[in-house]
Amino acid sequence: MNVQAPAKLNLTLKILNRRPDGYHELETIIAALALSDRITISQSGAPGHLEFQCNEPDLPIDESNLVVKAVTAFRKATAIPTGLKITLVKNIPHGAGLGGGSSDAAATLLALNKMHDSPLSKLQLSEIAASLGSDVPFFLTGGLALCHGRGEKVTPMTEPIPDWSLLLIKPPFGISTPWAYQSYAKTHNDTAHATPVQKLDDWNLFNDLEAPVFSKYLPLAELKGWLRQQPEVRAAMMSGSGSTIFAILGNGCASEDFRQRVVQRYGDTFWVMPTTLDTKDRRH
Ligand code: C5P
């Protein structure tokens, strides 16, 4: 079985408060992207067997990988030990704020459930997904959603999905999500200025994690500032806890010319990827 695991962007990210459990209460609009990882799953070997391969040598393929965690959680919840071979082809960089690992976990859960004729209900899948990571439940439905709690309470949005041309730009360093939230908690106070909003069509785009992340990672602030000055760019913002900055380009603009200009300025250690939002509805 072949499944796609899409990346995501946070179009808004509002931090409401720090919770007693250390997480932050959020209100965030998340949109899935056309850019995706690919996962191939087949039955293989004796019960309990797992052969897991990944084309990205930097990613651990042991129990710390979210795909392996998803398999373990599925087996525990269903007591179905089918032997498996799983191959993961990464297109989404990690430490990028694009939800790649979370999406791989959700796609693995969905594929295993389908492969075994749906032993788990949607609610059970959501609970397992939330135990794997705050972003994982979003990827069970994808599309466009308003997420609350630590991000795991997902309400699909009925608004049409914008047909924006996007350029994703990630410098050669990633950002640790726990560090970004800790940094927000340390630097934020009630007198701090509200995060500036970029208005685009009917959207108010903003990300409360930009200020704490930009205060340490100055190249990200420079990149966003430069992007916003370019005539092709309608809006530019960091996704999640970074380090990806995304640019929303004007309709009909020559995105290949613009991509080349970005590569020329930032060099080939920056990852630069054109994409769009994912218009496919994955609910089933
Ligand atoms: O849930 P997940 O494993 O993705 O979260 C990683 C870390 O990011 C958490 O351990 C926590 O430090 C931080 N986080 C947070 N508030 C959230 C989501 C994540 O503080 N809503």
Side-chain angles (χ1 to χ4, degrees):
M1 184 182 287
N2 255 302
V3 288
Q4 304 284 339
K8 59 87 176 162
L9 292 179
N10 298 82
L11 301 180
T12 67
L13 196 161
K14 188 172 185 57
I15 301 178
L16 300 172
N17 58 276
R18 188 158 191 271
R19 313 187 328 183
D21 64 4
Y23 281 90
H24 291 76
E25 196 71 15
L26 302 182
E27 192 175 270
T28 176
I29 296 177
I30 307 184
L33 292 175
L35 171 73
S36 56
D37 290 342
R38 202 178 69 243
I39 301 177
T40 308
I41 303 189
S42 55
Q43 298 198 6
S44 169
H49 170 80
L50 175 61
E51 182 186 343
F52 176 49
Q53 295 172 344
C54 176
N55 69 328
E56 168 66 66
D58 289 351
L59 265 197
I61 50 170
D62 60 8
E63 189 52 52
S64 68
N65 189 295
L66 275 162
V67 168
V68 179
K69 285 188 179 172
V71 171
T72 305
F74 179 85
R75 284 176 171 168
K76 192 167 166 226
T78 60
I80 301 174
T82 314
L84 296 167
K85 178 175 177 182
I86 303 184
T87 308
L88 169 62
V89 177
K90 289 297 296 179
N91 298 308
I92 309 168
H94 47 100
L98 297 174
S102 301
S103 185
D104 296 341
T108 302
L109 284 177
L110 287 172
L112 289 175
N113 206 40
K114 198 168 181 184
M115 189 184 243
H116 296 93
D117 294 328
S118 304
L120 298 177
S121 67
K122 277 186 177 174
L123 181 64
Q124 286 172 308
L125 282 171
S126 300
E127 283 171 1
I128 296 171
S131 76
L132 297 174
S134 306
D135 281 347
V136 182
F138 163 78
F139 290 106
L140 295 175
T141 45
L144 187 66
L146 178 63
C147 301
H148 284 104
R150 55 188 175 90
E152 88 286 14
K153 292 180 187 150
V154 181
T155 309
M157 292 171 70
T158 51
E159 278 82 349
I161 294 175
D163 61 350
W164 295 326
S165 286
L166 301 165
L167 196 67
L168 312 179
I169 303 155
K170 180 190 169 285
F173 56 85
I175 308 266
S176 146
T177 302
W179 173 85
Y181 279 100
Q182 277 161 26
S183 173
Y184 174 88
K186 274 193 204 134
T187 55
H188 182 78
N189 60 54
D190 289 343
T191 56
H193 292 296
T195 303
V197 168
Q198 290 172 75
K199 289 190 179 296
L200 179 67
D201 305 332
D202 292 333
W203 296 88
N204 288 324
L205 309 168
F206 67 94
N207 181 347
D208 279 347
L209 287 172
E210 278 187 345
V213 171
F214 288 1
S215 68
K216 174 168 179 194
Y217 295 94
L218 304 181
L220 292 181
E222 191 279 337
L223 171 60
K224 178 181 168 179
W226 181 80
L227 285 169
R228 292 197 65 198
Q229 286 165 6
Q230 305 311 302
E232 292 90 344
V233 174
R234 301 178 68 206
M237 203 170 74
M238 186 176 81
S239 181
S241 55
S243 60
T244 300
I245 305 283
F246 64 94
I248 302 176
L249 306 179
N251 281 344
C253 96
S255 57
E256 179 51 24
D257 287 358
F258 182 61
R259 192 190 69 81
Q260 282 179 15
R261 191 142 36 91
V262 172
V263 173
Q264 225 162 42
R265 181 176 170 89
Y266 291 99
D268 55 15
T269 62
F270 278 54
W271 174 81
V272 183
M273 180 62 67
T275 188
T276 59
L277 299 184
D278 181 9
T279 49
K280 284 191 299 293
D281 188 339
R282 301 199 318 144
R283 275 165 288 179
H284 45 75

